[in-house]
Amino acid sequence: MGVELVALHWIYLLFIVLIIGFMVARKDTSLICIAGIFLLAAVATHSLSAAVSGVFNSFIYAITELLPTILVISIIVAMSKVLSATGINDVMVSPFVRFIRTPAWAYWTIGILMMIISWFFWPSPAVALMGAVLLPAAVRVGLPALGAAMAMNLFGHGIALSGDFIIQGAPKLTADAAGLPVGDVIAASVPLVFVMGVVTTVTAFSLLRRDMKRGRLASGEAEMAATVDSTLEKTSHFLTGQTKKWLALLIPILFALDVIAMFDLRLQGGEATALVGGTAIFILILISVLAHRQESFAEVTHYFIEGFQFGFKVFGPVIPIAAFFYLGDAGFVKIIGDYLPQASQGIVNDLGVALAHAVPLNNEVGAVTLTIVGAITGLDGSGFSGISLAGSVAHLFSVAIGGGAATLTALGQIAAIWVGGGTLVPWALIPAAAICGVDPFELARRNLIPVAVGLVVTTVVAMFLI
């Protein structure tokens, strides 16, 4: 039995096409999303004032939904600021320097540590940490700075960010857009993240080693490495070397206990995020009190301000886009009102049912389409601003196919973040490129073949998992 499609459905579909088109053209989509919200509200309510209010209310709804994610990322960045300022991050990573004896060991050590740290701290703080401590050691043993930047990007902004198993910012956005529990998307993403990560990093290393043997990449850029330590500005503090060692040991233990508690207490989504965020707050306060003593009251506030500035800077472009895509599901009724047809299951659900009756879709077409949509949404260089679209399209296709919603959602999320989260789009590569002293466009060019190969293989695997 078909579903009744009204003007609201076609307007929503039109703006999805427009958003994709603007992303391909590398144009910001916030204005398009706001126009889409306004038009949907105006057509639904036939009221100018209601349409204007609808735009504002959609922002409130999106911020309410995203606030836990924004908050935990801001807090973790704030914590990373105090770790950098006191030099504790140097102590945390220094034991791993001994493993860096060859270019190969340097590549894999930097990459794996970047991935682990990014799971808890997110990639941006991890880049500074890796660059300050491990980059000089890696360059000394012959790994080109470009190779170190590739490892940071592929393991941090690629593997860690595309899965985001601990902080769960990415799966929260895609799961909400697809109307799925966060745990389902995370579970479905595990095999895909693993395949994508292994294929991409091994391909990248093979090409890197080949070009090093052929002399296409210079190594031993010691002059650049010698200046890396100055890229992180340290502030005065009262911590002794022994105290920093104890704190460097305590911090990973606390986060390891968080992970154990997540499994033991079966915490997922917001509960898991709250545990990680609360731990980060207490770590920040503890280190601030020990490091700054009587100045700790002001310093704690200072670190929180820096963290929140980062959080809202990253998620500022996401809010209008998420606000639009929330209208595709339950958000429509909560934001605008009950104006859809009586039998409607939400705009995206209705379009999916209609598509199922109009086009004979299958697993293969669905997987390829989600990879393409995810990659296109990543072209804006954010990686996060478009994954709500990937979730909505995954929901639409899963309804048409008759299943596989979580796998399709995870696939779109992976494609979007690998392309736009900091591995292919040059302007998203600047942090890693800057800390390593390499050209971001050259770094994007080096990452292109490994990421493309990884996406093809991951898409094929997803076809069998749907």
Side-chain angles (χ1 to χ4, degrees):
M1 182 178 177
V3 63
E4 180 188 2
L5 297 184
V6 297
L8 294 172
H9 294 89
W10 296 113
I11 292 171
Y12 188 84
L13 185 60
L14 171 63
F15 274 89
I16 286 182
V17 174
L18 286 175
I19 290 168
I20 293 175
F22 270 70
M23 286 181 172
V24 169
R26 297 180 180 178
K27 301 292 185 181
D28 191 87
T29 58
S30 295
L31 184 58
I32 298 299
C33 291
I34 293 171
I37 297 167
F38 176 82
L39 188 57
L40 285 169
V43 171
T45 63
H46 303 288
S47 168
L48 178 62
S49 61
V52 173
S53 300
V55 173
F56 184 76
N57 289 333
S58 70
F59 277 41
I60 294 177
Y61 184 87
I63 292 173
T64 303
E65 293 293 315
L66 297 176
L67 190 58
T69 303
I70 299 173
L71 183 61
V72 73
I73 290 170
S74 300
I75 289 169
I76 288 173
V77 170
M79 182 191 66
S80 73
K81 294 288 186 181
V82 73
L83 295 180
S84 297
T86 56
I88 295 174
N89 55 0
D90 297 354
V91 180
M92 290 175 64
V93 182
S94 59
F96 298 96
V97 173
R98 70 186 68 177
F99 295 106
I100 301 181
R101 298 177 179 175
T102 65
W105 276 103
Y107 175 88
W108 293 108
T109 301
I110 286 177
I112 292 172
L113 279 177
M114 178 74 183
M115 178 181 68
I116 294 171
I117 294 172
S118 297
W119 274 334
F120 292 96
F121 296 166
W122 254 38
S124 295
V127 164
L129 178 59
M130 294 292 99
V133 181
L134 294 187
L135 180 60
V139 172
R140 278 196 295 269
V141 299
L143 180 69
L146 188 60
M150 289 173 65
M152 292 182 191
N153 274 154
L154 299 178
F155 281 88
H157 294 86
I159 298 174
L161 194 59
S162 67
D164 199 9
F165 302 131
I166 306 300
I167 300 174
Q168 300 181 2
K172 166 67 174 173
L173 289 171
T174 48
D176 283 353
L180 296 171
V182 175
D184 289 0
V185 175
I186 292 175
S189 71
V190 170
L192 299 180
V193 170
F194 177 79
V195 170
M196 181 71 186
V198 170
V199 172
T200 304
T201 55
V202 170
T203 302
F205 179 71
S206 299
L207 295 175
L208 180 67
R209 185 169 58 179
R210 181 200 66 183
D211 289 345
M212 288 176 64
K213 289 181 178 179
R214 294 179 179 179
R216 293 179 180 177
L217 285 176
S219 61
E221 297 153 88
E223 295 81 9
M224 179 278 302
T227 64
V228 172
D229 286 293
S230 63
T231 59
L232 287 180
E233 182 181 350
K234 302 290 193 299
T235 60
S236 59
H237 56 81
F238 297 97
L239 297 182
T240 64
Q242 190 64 30
T243 303
K244 285 193 285 187
K245 288 180 181 179
W246 280 109
L247 291 172
L249 180 63
L250 176 64
I251 292 168
I253 289 175
L254 290 176
F255 281 116
L257 290 174
D258 280 353
V259 175
I260 293 172
M262 288 177 197
F263 284 103
D264 188 51
L265 302 176
R266 297 181 181 179
L267 301 179
Q268 291 184 336
E271 293 176 331
T273 299
L275 182 62
V276 173
T279 302
I281 290 174
F282 282 106
I283 290 173
L284 185 155
I285 293 172
L286 174 63
I287 296 175
S288 297
V289 170
L290 293 176
H292 302 294
R293 297 182 185 177
Q294 60 265 44
E295 300 295 327
S296 61
F297 294 96
E299 291 297 329
V300 167
T301 302
H302 171 74
Y303 291 126
F304 275 128
I305 290 172
E306 287 195 272
F308 282 118
Q309 285 175 336
F310 176 88
F312 279 93
K313 183 178 180 181
V314 169
F315 277 89
V318 176
I319 291 170
I321 298 170
F324 173 80
F325 287 109
Y326 280 134
L327 293 178
D329 198 31
F332 189 95
V333 174
K334 295 181 179 178
I335 296 169
I336 297 176
D338 191 6
Y339 293 96
L340 292 172
Q342 188 174 1
S344 175
Q345 299 298 313
I347 292 178
V348 172
N349 266 338
D350 295 346
L351 289 171
V353 172
L355 186 63
H357 286 81
V359 182
L361 293 177
N362 54 38
N363 296 358
E364 291 74 17
V365 173
V368 171
T369 303
L370 258 297
T371 299
I372 293 173
V373 169
I376 289 173
T377 63
L379 292 177
D380 67 343
S382 166
F384 269 63
S385 63
I387 59 177
S388 292
L389 171 61
S392 291
V393 174
H395 189 183
L396 189 152
F397 271 67
S398 68
V399 173
I401 294 172
T407 299
L408 288 172
T409 300
L411 180 62
Q413 171 182 304
I414 289 168
I417 291 181
W418 272 90
V419 171
T423 65
L424 287 188
V425 179
W427 51 90
L429 298 165
I430 292 175
I435 203 77
C436 294
V438 300
D439 181 8
F441 289 91
E442 176 63 16
L443 178 56
R445 188 187 68 81
R446 295 289 311 187
N447 287 343
L448 178 60
I449 293 177
V451 173
V453 172
L455 286 174
V456 170
V457 175
T458 305
T459 302
V460 173
V461 171
M463 293 176 185
F464 294 95
L465 296 177
I466 294 173

